[in-house]
Amino acid sequence: MIEKREFYIGGRWVSPATPNDLPVIDPSTEEPCAVISLGSEADTNAAVAAAKEAFPSWAFTAPAKRREYVEKILANYEARQEELARAISLEMGAPIDFARNSQAPCLPWHLKNFLTAFDSFEFLRPLGQHAPNDRIALEPVGVVGLITPWNWPMNQVTLKVIPALLAGCTMVLKPSELAPLSSLLFAEFVHDAGVPPGVFNLVNGDGPGVGSQLSGHKDVDMISFTGSTRAGAAITKNAADTFKRVCLELGGKGANLVFADADEKAVKRGVMHCFNNSGQSCNAPTRMLVERPIYDQAVEIAREVAENRKVASAHEPGNHIGPVVSEAQYNKIQGLIEKGIAEGARLVAGGLGRPEGLNRGYFVRPTVFADVTNEMTIAREEVFGPVLSIIPFDTEEEAVAIANDTIYGLTNYVQSQDGERRNRLARRLRSGMVEMNGQSRAAGSPFGGVKASGRAREGGHWGIEEFLDVKAISGWAAE
Ligand code: NAD
């Protein structure tokens, strides 16, 4: 059992004001694997006070100096990446090879992209040639509260902490109470990089506790949040009285439009993507919209892929999928599968209960529903498990209407060999991101959505801007 009860406040590891133990459960075994403490208001206040004290000096640290600290965080990651992969695998059930190859490497990937953007970032810019004495200064927002989920724990921590540091903000990180171990290790990377005391603080806690204390705190200037749409709304309301900037990265119900002229691997690729990370990604393509002429064939391919997708313990090597994160998520997914059946969708693979041979652990059967209508609960709600809904369509118009008929708007996908159609659809789909023919977005591309997916933009240049306020200056002396 790993004991991690301390918080990182003001450059030191400190004991909670009032101990309040919470076990961390290994989702592969349902056994406690670690114990943390949940913070109280006194801990939140201490962390915010440390960040507030550190702000004036950090905000005016030379950008080159801030870059040096971030480079040192990268070096510390590189020396300890295996530990980080193991922590992620244990806390949220990512199979160990997936944790090594996909989850942990999110840290260096985003960090390097931020450094590239930072190197050409102008913190002081002219307004325009017409106004020689005007300047636009981009200045750090202040003390920021960073609240992260469990599904891609290091991805989300990196997407918030690194740009906040580069922008000159000071911060309090509250990682998910379900997956706190990787963040505690990350705090060691920051500490060992020599980042000045108070610039980065970490307090463990839950939503009603530390999460709400941060979103309502008078000395916190901004909340950057990734997680459920429910919590995003609660945070926005709680932050209103103190006029915080609130940046939200919430759920999704991505549509994957597969046309009859799609490449032959498109359906398989879409199903695999939906099941990736056991379906626990906000940008998962969970609604596969298939053009009628290839519909039966697509359903058959999806059935085959699901039946052959191995599910096993996160501790086993290999490219299988692992459990979902918790008993609550397991039960929620089972409930949604039940609803799918009750509302008349055709179950073609998977279904209720655990996969054969697995009696313990939060393992879900890779599940495919066909003949889904966009009104069914499984097409409307985020399942956050390995569950795919297939919906037929006859015309491009109809496909666009179905894709856009959702409260969410994070990522949509298009599979077609017709370039003109792809370009047309890229503009018509209402989402923050559109990915086509299996091509991922390139380095520095902003991640974020519209509508109930939240309107944050994370990563690269836009990710740094999130943590900056715009100041308009006139009467600037010629240099
Ligand atoms: P959640 O939103 O409850 O938790 C995410 C983070 O927010 C955690 O750190 C949690 O402690 C904190 N939090 C919760 N309520 C809060 C509040 N009122 N104020 C401040 N902080 C609060 O998400 P969850 O319960 O871990 O997962 C539930 C659902 O959220 C999932 O089924 C999925 O739909 C969605 N989700 C989305 C993403 C994403 O990347 N978009 C990530 C995780 C979860």
Side-chain angles (χ1 to χ4, degrees), residues 92-263:
M92 56 72 67
I96 184 63
D97 284 329
F98 182 73
R100 284 187 186 118
N101 302 328
S102 294
Q103 285 270 4
C106 290
L107 189 160
W109 166 256
H110 291 305
L111 185 150
K112 287 176 191 169
N113 293 340
F114 280 126
L115 287 182
T116 305
F118 187 68
D119 287 341
S120 61
F121 205 93
E122 281 185 295
F123 285 93
L124 188 68
R125 307 169 182 178
L127 175 64
Q129 282 183 346
H130 69 290
N133 302 117
D134 277 48
R135 291 293 181 277
I136 297 297
L138 293 167
E139 302 197 335
V141 168
V143 173
V144 297
L146 312 175
I147 302 176
T148 55
W150 42 262
N151 59 332
W152 286 89
M154 260 315 101
N155 183 64
Q156 282 123 352
V157 166
T158 309
L159 281 169
K160 298 187 191 308
V161 174
I162 300 300
L165 286 173
L166 290 172
C169 291
T170 58
M171 66 209 74
V172 180
L173 168 66
K174 189 209 82 62
S176 165
E177 64 275 31
L178 300 181
L181 304 179
S182 53
S183 288
L184 287 159
L185 197 56
F186 180 89
E188 291 183 27
F189 300 168
V190 177
H191 177 77
D192 295 345
V195 171
V199 171
F200 169 88
N201 306 276
L202 180 152
V203 180
N204 276 317
D206 57 16
V210 177
S212 304
Q213 290 151 17
L214 284 173
S215 65
H217 204 291
K218 68 175 177 36
D219 291 332
V220 172
D221 299 285
M222 163 178 168
I223 296 285
S224 174
F225 171 77
T226 300
S228 63
T229 295
R230 170 200 62 78
I235 287 169
T236 305
K237 287 175 194 155
N238 202 35
D241 287 342
T242 45
F243 308 102
K244 287 178 177 52
R245 176 183 294 183
V246 178
C247 293
L248 304 173
E249 204 283 275
L250 309 175
K253 195 71 204 176
N256 183 8
L257 280 57
V258 184
F259 287 86
D261 68 350
D263 67 275

